Amino acid sequence: MLVLGIETSCDETGVALYDGDHGLLAHALYSQATLHADYGGVVPELASRDHIRKIIPLLRETFRQANVSMTAVHGVAYTAGPGLIGALLVGASLGRSLAWTWNVPALGVHHLEGHLLAPMLEANPPTFPFLALLVSGGHTMLVQVMGVGAYHILGQSVDDAAGEAFDKAAKLIGLPYPGGPALAQCAAQGTLGRFKFPRPMTDRPGLDFSFSGLKTFTLNAWRNAADASAQNRADIARAFEEAVVETLFIKCRRALQQTAVRSLVIAGGVGANTRLRERLRELENQEGVRVYYPRPTFCTDNAAMIAYAGHQRLLAGQSEDTAIRATARWPLDSLRPPPSGSPTTYAV
Ligand code: KG4
Ligand code: ZN
């Protein structure tokens, strides 16, 4: 089954073609990062307008790359939420309309389900059940994944998401948007140990996270530093990054020990962080588990993961009526596995 995937939930426009027999045929991505850089964060209205400008050229580019005709598509999957509503509606309108034109089924995919299933696009994918550390700009969660649509949330952030904390800390020490990659790059020049940051919520039982306090630590360290030198900035960035990474490491180890699940998947934009990948890899020897990462471009937002997740559900017969639906808020634990057997309606 050949599925067209469309992603427009935030500031990345993505289009992909995934085929059940041949895997990912092509994917194209456009990042709006420079558009939003002057504002220090994503401006929703600008994001929606830019998706409208970029989506059709990306669509053409993806079909050209894959060298397939539009009439070969068997189903369309688009991100229906959670995300920025105006941005989501661009992908939903196009996806639903194309499916209607081509007379094929369409499906609104949950953005986080896309992230959770992204490692399935790689050469040696994990098998169910696995534990997933989902760390993005909007979410930080430990999820036990029993199968497509069978997600049990073991813990999550009580305040800022890990990516949000990276972005805010970067801003506080004068780094440009997007903050996460900029802070990671700056931290690579830093020395560990000059600044001491806590590992929030690791001294008590449980698998929840809290990252907002690390912002205050960052601000205080930056204000109290002798001067605003590049070295001080890098050392603070290093201390911040290590605090987030170590906190995530401790909670992942705890979750693995509690569940006895043997595979850990790292998903979401912060999963592109090199230090996090390196540190979590150590769990392979320490805990005798396997750690899986999607390649960095499939950790951050992309349409390949949406095409893959949509393919799994469309193949099982799930599809929607002709209404165009998108939703800014959509709890992950409200998802259910695709129905086995006859096609049914998929309510967003
Ligand atoms: O999954 P994603 O692309 O979008 C959301 O669904 O939120 O995640 C974006 C988040 C941003 O907060 C960004 O700063 C962070 O992932 N991020 C990183 C890195 N690359 C992206 N954080 C730390 N280190 C990175 N290398
Ligand atoms: Zn995302």
Side-chain angles (χ1 to χ4, degrees):
M1 181 179 207
L2 177 64
V3 172
L4 170 70
I6 298 175
E7 157 67 36
T8 61
S9 66
C10 189
D11 61 343
E12 255 107 20
T13 321
V15 180
L17 281 163
Y18 180 86
D19 180 80
D21 293 325
H22 303 104
L24 186 67
L25 300 187
H27 75 107
L29 193 70
Y30 175 80
S31 167
Q32 303 177 353
T34 48
L35 175 73
H36 301 290
D38 287 349
Y39 305 93
V42 179
V43 183
E45 185 56 26
L46 293 183
S48 314
R49 286 165 192 244
D50 209 48
H51 284 308
I52 293 171
R53 271 192 290 269
K54 299 297 176 347
I55 192 96
I56 301 287
L58 282 180
L59 187 77
R60 289 193 203 287
E61 166 66 17
T62 308
F63 277 97
R64 199 193 51 75
Q65 258 186 46
N67 199 22
V68 295
S69 145
M70 293 196 183
T71 53
V73 171
H74 301 118
V76 179
Y78 56 88
T79 306
L84 302 172
I85 192 64
L88 287 165
L89 278 169
V90 177
S93 311
L94 181 71
R96 193 67 205 77
S97 309
L98 286 174
W100 185 79
T101 312
W102 296 336
N103 197 23
V104 296
L107 194 63
V109 170
H110 194 293
H111 181 78
L112 298 183
E113 177 164 83
H115 277 305
L116 287 176
L117 300 180
M120 298 302 193
L121 291 161
E122 301 300 352
N124 295 303
T127 50
F128 299 119
F130 59 77
L131 203 71
L133 173 69
L134 180 54
V135 270
S136 71
H139 298 84
T140 299
M141 289 177 179
L142 268 163
V143 187
Q144 191 164 344
V145 179
M146 276 79 72
V148 174
Y151 310 125
H152 177 51
I153 299 172
L154 302 172
Q156 56 192 318
S157 180
V158 296
D159 43 53
D160 290 355
E164 188 181 359
F166 262 96
D167 295 336
K168 288 177 177 170
K171 207 170 186 174
L172 289 173
I173 58 173
L175 291 170
Y177 169 88
L183 190 141
Q185 214 181 348
C186 178
Q189 313 303 318
T191 309
L192 200 58
R194 272 200 59 218
F195 294 91
K196 296 248 177 302
F197 280 41
R199 277 57 173 144
M201 290 181 80
T202 53
D203 56 351
R204 66 187 93 159
L207 295 168
D208 284 340
F209 305 89
S210 165
F211 290 112
S212 75
L214 291 178
K215 276 180 316 205
T216 320
F217 259 84
T218 307
L219 187 62
N220 289 341
W222 184 235
R223 279 192 181 146
N224 298 335
D227 56 73
S229 66
Q231 194 56 52
N232 278 333
R233 178 183 283 117
D235 292 347
I236 292 169
R238 184 80 178 86
F240 171 87
E241 180 180 57
E242 199 61 18
V244 175
V245 166
E246 201 53 28
T247 304
L248 295 172
F249 174 86
I250 292 167
K251 296 285 167 128
C252 284
R253 189 177 53 197
R254 195 178 286 177
L256 287 166
Q257 289 168 349
Q258 283 179 10
T259 58
V261 173
R262 302 288 80 199
S263 305
L264 175 69
V265 157
I266 318 303
V270 183
N273 184 279
T274 311
R275 177 66 193 128
L276 179 66
R277 293 165 87 94
E278 186 181 271
R279 183 74 174 115
L280 291 177
R281 182 65 79 197
E282 292 171 26
L283 287 168
E284 295 206 327
N285 286 333
Q286 281 188 24
E287 298 296 319
V289 298
R290 282 206 58 188
V291 181
Y292 297 84
Y293 308 96
R295 70 195 82 166
T297 34
F298 292 166
C299 278
T300 46
D301 289 349
N302 66 87
M305 65 184 193
I306 302 302
Y308 178 82
H311 173 270
Q312 301 312 102
R313 288 184 176 276
L314 286 161
L315 193 65
Q318 197 173 333
S319 66
E320 289 170 353
D321 58 25
T322 50
I324 293 168
R325 291 193 192 87
T327 178
R329 289 179 187 278
W330 186 4
L332 180 69
D333 52 11
S334 69
L335 293 188
R336 296 291 171 265
S340 44
S342 57
T344 86
T345 301
Y346 183 58
V348 175

